[in-house]
Amino acid sequence: MSGRWSFGGAGGNAFQAVMIGLEEPEGLALDIFSESLCRAVAGHDWETFGFPFTQVFEPSVLYEVALIQGIEPLALATLEHRPTATTERLAAVVAAPEVHPSTALVNAASILTCASRFARASELVEHAATRSPSGREAFELDWLRFVVSNRTDDGASSPTAFARMQAVIEAGDVPPSRAMDACTQAVVWYVKRREIPAETFRWFARHGAELSAQAGVLTSGGLSAWYRGLAMVPAATGQPAGARRYMEKALEAAEVAEQTNPGADARNARKTYFESTIKEHLYVTGDLDAALAAGLALVALDPVWSLSHGELAEVHERRGETELAAERYEEAARLGPPSVGHHLVRAARCRVAQGQVDLALEHHLALLALDPSDPAIRRAALEVADLVDGGAELVAVATGPGPVLMGEQDW
């Protein structure tokens, strides 16, 4: 079992290494996210604001990395486990925030947020807030409050954070490219789950439109993200043609980004275009051939990223290609985090649909080997075990005496 599912290979994958140490690992193929984050951490000036955010994951992703690497989850989340110079530097800021300037606190909190250490990031944000910040610093603190809240408590703090960011933007204290980051996220999270009031959404949508019309004030990557977010508005109201027009603008801007400033950040704009295109065709147009083309392009662009394969697997599943879907989900799990658990559960579902219940149970037992104390994992395993002779006994062995891992909710 462990030989088949050495997630990410014997040495782990680059994403695991980066989430643990926040430095570029040697000898591992870099996915776009890991390359972007490592270069931002190594290259950003801690005396200036504007740390670039590529993607922020839920706490469960860091928890999964800890389980796979055999690290105590709480130690990883709190920086008690700090295997690199970068993690040591961050821990030093957390331990004595009073001796560091506000820019250092904001940048350390930004890195910790990108690495899913949300509690430690929040501590730095609130310490910096005691210094009566104004202008750009206040914007950055509320930006961080929004991001952390979005990933930890369904955006409970987002309305206040966006209202305050709006006030700072209106005062003229935020560069256009950074203001556009807030405009994009306001649109995205209003459409997704009404995370901010409608009035706030409308202000940020108007301001984003004004910024997008000003030549030269935005990065091409930021402009691409804006159009992807804007495409969600007509998509949510059943207007596929309008969504496609914005998506085409997003692709144009992404291609300009790669031409003018090649690198992982620019490739990320095209990567997220393909991710959004898959969802566009799965959930808006129903064009499964177009979704497949986008999925294949995504895997070709970021082949070592597990989520790329998981996205393509979902397309196969929707097309009724269950065997292909199972194989893609399994490939995603072999590549390692993020989302090993999700990919194995989806693979198991496909295997059950194919009548391959023994293989489906093997997937669930692999997850139980990671966290035998998780009741949801155990319930899912038992459901499949009922279809396999002797399956219940295998689950009992997997959840029997042994070290009990701390539940995710406890940290």
Side-chain angles (χ1 to χ4, degrees):
M1 186 74 63
S2 60
R4 174 178 170 81
W5 292 114
S6 56
F7 306 110
N13 66 14
F15 177 79
Q16 292 167 239
V18 170
M19 289 296 281
I20 292 169
L22 290 164
E23 294 180 2
E24 187 169 324
E26 294 183 6
L28 295 175
L30 287 172
D31 57 87
I32 289 173
F33 167 83
S34 296
E35 183 178 349
S36 294
L37 180 57
C38 284
R39 294 188 177 178
V41 171
H44 184 70
D45 181 358
W46 280 40
E47 295 182 0
T48 64
F49 294 119
F51 184 86
F53 282 65
T54 302
Q55 190 170 353
V56 179
F57 297 92
E58 291 79 6
S60 59
V61 170
L62 189 68
Y63 182 78
E64 181 179 80
V65 166
L67 294 182
I68 291 171
Q69 291 293 115
I71 300 169
E72 169 58 43
L74 186 61
L76 187 59
T78 61
L79 291 176
E80 180 183 338
H81 180 83
R82 42 184 188 272
T84 64
T86 298
T87 52
E88 287 284 4
R89 182 183 184 186
L90 290 166
V93 176
V94 169
E98 66 280 358
V99 304
H100 296 278
S102 293
T103 50
L105 300 187
V106 167
N107 282 300
S110 297
I111 295 169
L112 291 168
T113 298
C114 291
S116 299
R117 273 78 162 180
F118 299 113
R120 289 293 181 257
S122 293
E123 290 172 14
L124 295 181
V125 166
E126 298 314 317
H127 184 92
T130 64
R131 301 178 182 181
S132 301
S134 60
R136 179 67 186 280
E137 182 186 347
F139 173 89
E140 295 293 338
L141 294 177
D142 279 306
W143 166 260
L144 286 164
R145 288 186 178 107
F146 148 66
V147 177
V148 171
S149 180
N150 178 270
R151 285 292 180 257
T152 60
D153 61 12
D154 294 329
S157 299
S158 293
T160 300
F162 272 99
R164 293 197 293 223
M165 283 191 283
Q166 176 183 336
V168 180
I169 293 170
E170 288 179 315
D173 293 332
V174 182
S177 59
R178 198 58 161 170
M180 184 58 105
D181 291 340
C183 293
T184 299
Q185 293 305 315
V187 170
V188 167
W189 291 101
Y190 176 79
V191 175
K192 278 191 174 184
R193 62 186 187 200
R194 300 298 189 268
E195 195 163 306
I196 58 175
E199 181 180 355
T200 303
F201 155 72
R202 285 191 290 268
W203 186 91
F204 278 99
R206 287 194 302 269
H207 192 67
E210 293 168 1
L211 291 174
S212 69
Q214 299 174 30
V217 303
L218 304 174
T219 65
S220 297
L223 189 59
S224 180
W226 164 250
Y227 284 127
R228 286 196 314 273
L230 209 56
M232 296 173 65
V233 178
T237 55
Q239 301 176 58
R244 176 82 323 235
R245 283 195 296 273
Y246 286 127
M247 289 296 290
E248 288 170 355
K249 287 179 176 288
L251 179 58
E252 290 172 7
E255 290 172 341
V256 169
E258 288 191 271
Q259 292 164 8
T260 58
N261 190 24
D265 289 342
R267 295 199 308 278
N268 186 65
R270 191 153 55 94
K271 169 193 164 185
T272 47
Y273 164 80
F274 288 132
E275 291 170 342
S276 297
T277 299
I278 291 171
K279 292 175 175 59
E280 173 193 4
H281 293 306
L282 287 183
Y283 302 110
V284 181
T285 71
D287 187 341
L288 297 183
D289 289 339
L292 179 61
L296 291 170
L298 178 63
V299 168
L301 181 63
D302 204 5
V304 297
W305 187 234
S306 66
L307 296 180
S308 297
H309 294 265
E311 297 265 16
L312 179 55
E314 184 179 356
V315 175
H316 284 307
E317 197 172 0
R318 287 286 295 273
R319 289 167 62 91
E321 299 162 347
T322 315
E323 179 70 24
L324 289 174
E327 291 172 358
R328 278 292 176 181
Y329 282 129
E330 288 160 356
E331 177 62 15
R334 286 189 196 97
L335 286 169
S339 299
V340 162
H342 169 75
H343 292 142
L344 271 185
V345 167
R346 295 292 288 262
R349 184 175 71 183
C350 291
R351 291 302 181 188
V352 169
Q354 292 283 304
Q356 300 168 321
V357 291
D358 288 348
L359 189 51
L361 180 58
E362 180 181 330
H363 295 346
H364 285 290
L365 291 174
L367 291 179
L368 275 174
L370 281 179
D371 193 354
S373 68
D374 189 305
I377 294 175
R378 188 173 187 275
R379 282 194 301 271
L382 285 171
E383 289 175 5
V384 176
D386 287 341
L387 306 174
V388 179
D389 288 341
E393 288 78 5
L394 289 173
V395 173
V397 169
T399 56
V404 176
L405 296 171
M406 178 177 55
E408 181 182 328
Q409 69 279 3
D410 295 328
W411 68 291

